[in-house]
């Protein structure tokens, strides 16, 4: 039992944390609906003209479409690799398993600028810089551990007796994988895929190194814009990113359930 003083302290810390985490979102949201021409908070009146501006801005729409392409390529590339790697590392006894786990952690240990420059040199040697698919592949390589960990968390909860029962009923390895193992780890697959998609949408440094003026993604376009002047339309673009992240969380809750997701972590 916690005393009233302890409960007060806990709830005070909770609300302080909520306020601190919510403050940037509230400020950006308020700045995006200002009727003034400069970024300011509190907003100078209320207007949705900045959302209308970004909806009509051709360069923003094109950059947003490129970001969607990059995120889709990243997810499609990482999905089979991360799923199979997560299942293999958690369900099977592999030779050099520790070395494989360390190798998969390399994107977290190597500075992002180092990984980005290395990928830029590789894709430059292949003469594919300026295309969007190398950016998606690079995002998949850098963020792959998130998908592997997500699938591994679900795979560790799978009862091996279910796979043995399927084998005893005459199911082959492929049938067992498709009808028993894969459905059991699907919450981790969905969680990791959504996370990979959002991370690729927001990826800036790798996109900056691998794109050119014709193929800039939305984060790079925003960076190029704030180098000159910060206007409320950039706040509106930031709100769009927040809405996408919120939609991903809502989709995750609907498909998997946040309780299951948080327990798997």
């Amino acid at each position: 039992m916690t005393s009233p003083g302890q409960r007060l302290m806990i709830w005070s810390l909770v609300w302080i944390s909520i306020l601190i985490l919510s403050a940037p979102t509230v400020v950006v949201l308020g700045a995006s609906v200002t009727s003034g021409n400069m970024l300011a908070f509190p907003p100078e009146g209320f207007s949705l003209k900045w959302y209308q501006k970004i909806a009509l801005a051709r360069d923003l729409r094109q950059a947003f479409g490129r970001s969607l392409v990059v995120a889709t390529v990243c997810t499609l590339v990482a999905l089979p690799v991360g799923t199979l790697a997560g299942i293999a590392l958690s369900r099977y006894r592999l030779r050099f398993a520790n070395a494989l786990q360390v190798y998969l952690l390399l994107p977290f240990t190597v500075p992002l600028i180092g990984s980005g420059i290395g990928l830029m040199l590789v894709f430059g040697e292949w003469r594919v810089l300026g295309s969007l698919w190398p950016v998606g592949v690079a995002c998949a390589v850098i963020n792959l551990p998130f998908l592997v960990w997500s699938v591994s968390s679900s795979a560790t909860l799978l009862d091996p007796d279910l796979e043995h029962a399927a084998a005893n009923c005459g199911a082959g390895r492929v049938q067992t994988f498709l009808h028993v193992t894969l459905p059991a780890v699907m919450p981790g697959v969905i969680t990791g895929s959504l996370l990979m998609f959002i991370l690729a949408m927001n990826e800036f440094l790798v996109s900056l190194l691998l794109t050119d003026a014709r193929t800039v993604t939305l984060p790079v376009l925003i960076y190029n814009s704030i180098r000159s002047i910060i206007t409320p339309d950039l706040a509106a673009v930031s709100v769009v990113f927040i809405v996408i992240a919120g939609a991903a969380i809502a989709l995750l809750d609907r498909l998997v359930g946040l309780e299951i997701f948080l327990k798997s972590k």
Side-chain angles (χ1 to χ4, degrees):
M1 294 293 292
T2 58
S3 64
Q6 290 175 327
R7 287 197 297 270
L8 178 61
M9 176 66 68
I10 293 173
W11 280 108
S12 298
L13 293 175
V14 169
W15 281 109
I16 290 173
S17 300
I18 292 175
L19 290 175
I20 293 175
L21 293 173
S22 303
T25 302
V26 173
V27 171
V28 170
L29 180 60
S32 69
V33 295
T34 181
S35 59
N37 294 323
M38 297 296 296
L39 197 68
F41 186 85
E44 301 175 4
F46 179 83
S47 175
L48 297 178
K49 64 179 182 180
W50 300 109
Y51 290 94
Q52 182 182 11
K53 181 179 179 180
I54 65 173
L56 298 176
R58 184 185 178 193
D59 56 342
L60 286 174
R61 294 200 310 271
Q62 292 177 339
F64 181 74
R66 297 188 198 105
S67 294
L68 288 177
V69 172
V70 168
T72 302
V73 172
C74 170
T75 305
L76 293 178
V77 170
L79 189 58
V81 178
T83 300
L84 296 177
I87 294 174
L89 289 174
S90 59
R91 302 294 300 169
Y92 303 104
R93 293 183 179 180
L94 301 177
R95 300 178 65 181
F96 311 112
N98 292 333
L100 286 173
Q101 290 180 354
V102 172
Y103 178 75
L104 291 173
L105 284 174
L106 284 180
F108 286 163
T109 57
V110 177
L112 188 57
I113 183 65
S115 300
I117 292 176
L119 291 166
M120 181 181 66
L121 294 175
V122 171
F123 289 129
E125 186 68 22
W126 293 350
R127 301 181 184 275
V128 293
L129 285 179
S131 301
L132 289 178
W133 69 263
V135 185
V137 173
C139 291
V141 171
I142 292 172
N143 298 316
L144 185 63
F146 289 109
L147 181 57
V148 174
W149 287 345
S150 179
V151 175
S152 297
S153 299
S154 294
T156 55
L157 301 176
L158 174 61
D159 188 352
D161 290 338
L162 295 177
E163 295 175 319
H164 296 157
N168 290 334
C169 291
R173 291 187 176 182
V174 175
Q175 289 178 309
T176 301
F177 175 80
L178 293 177
H179 298 288
V180 178
T181 306
L182 189 58
V185 302
M186 192 55 66
V189 173
I190 295 174
T191 300
S193 299
L194 289 174
L195 186 59
M196 294 290 290
F197 189 89
I198 295 300
L199 290 174
M201 278 285 297
N202 296 322
E203 181 56 51
F204 162 70
L205 185 56
V206 170
S207 299
L208 181 65
L209 293 172
L210 300 182
T211 58
D212 55 23
R214 298 167 300 173
T215 58
V216 292
T217 57
L218 191 55
V220 177
L221 184 64
I222 294 174
Y223 170 75
N224 293 334
S225 300
I226 65 176
R227 293 174 64 184
S228 56
I229 185 172
I230 303 178
T231 52
D233 57 336
L234 298 180
V237 174
S238 301
V239 173
V240 172
F241 274 112
I242 295 173
V243 171
I244 292 174
I249 294 175
L251 183 62
L252 176 63
D253 184 33
R254 184 175 182 84
L255 296 178
V256 177
L258 291 180
E259 297 84 0
I260 298 176
F261 167 68
L262 293 174
K263 287 179 181 179
S264 68
K265 299 301 168 186

